[in-house]
Amino acid sequence: MGDIELHPPCVASEKHTGLVLDIDTLALHNPLPLAGEDTHAYSCTDGTTYWLPAGLQDWATTVIAAHHAHKAAGTPLMFPGQIEFGILHGTVYAELL
């Protein structure tokens, strides 16, 4: 399958649910960019790559680091797993479920 830019839905309040995806992998494209190059986060599910909004770049980097720390420590891995994506009060969010 192809690459899709993720467009999280707007949610009315914290009580509402955004888009929930079963995520196989969370990673960075071009994690060590040279001058003038970009890097961006993506997630994969069922063979589809979802490019994450720029507002989730720092979140994704933190989660990827935590996933690798779990792997190194021999504790249960974070992925595969579910993530909820949405926009609340004008701000994009992602939440591990």
Side-chain angles (χ1 to χ4, degrees):
M1 296 203 174
D3 296 349
I4 299 172
E5 187 174 343
L6 184 68
H7 295 285
C10 290
V11 295
S13 73
E14 291 85 1
K15 295 179 183 180
H16 293 87
T17 302
L19 173 66
V20 176
L21 295 175
D22 292 317
I23 301 298
D24 299 322
T25 304
L26 183 65
L28 295 177
H29 170 75
N30 196 20
L32 299 171
L34 298 174
E37 294 181 340
D38 291 326
T39 185
H40 51 273
Y42 66 91
S43 62
C44 295
T45 182
D46 295 329
T48 301
T49 300
Y50 291 94
W51 298 102
L52 301 184
L56 294 177
Q57 182 79 22
D58 290 340
W59 171 86
T61 302
T62 300
V63 172
I64 292 166
H67 176 75
H68 287 290
H70 280 240
K71 187 174 184 177
T75 58
L77 299 178
M78 299 168 74
F79 299 104
Q82 290 188 320
I83 300 177
E84 176 188 345
F85 298 96
I87 299 172
L88 180 63
H89 306 301
T91 302
V92 67
Y93 73 88
E95 182 179 346
L96 296 166
L97 302 177

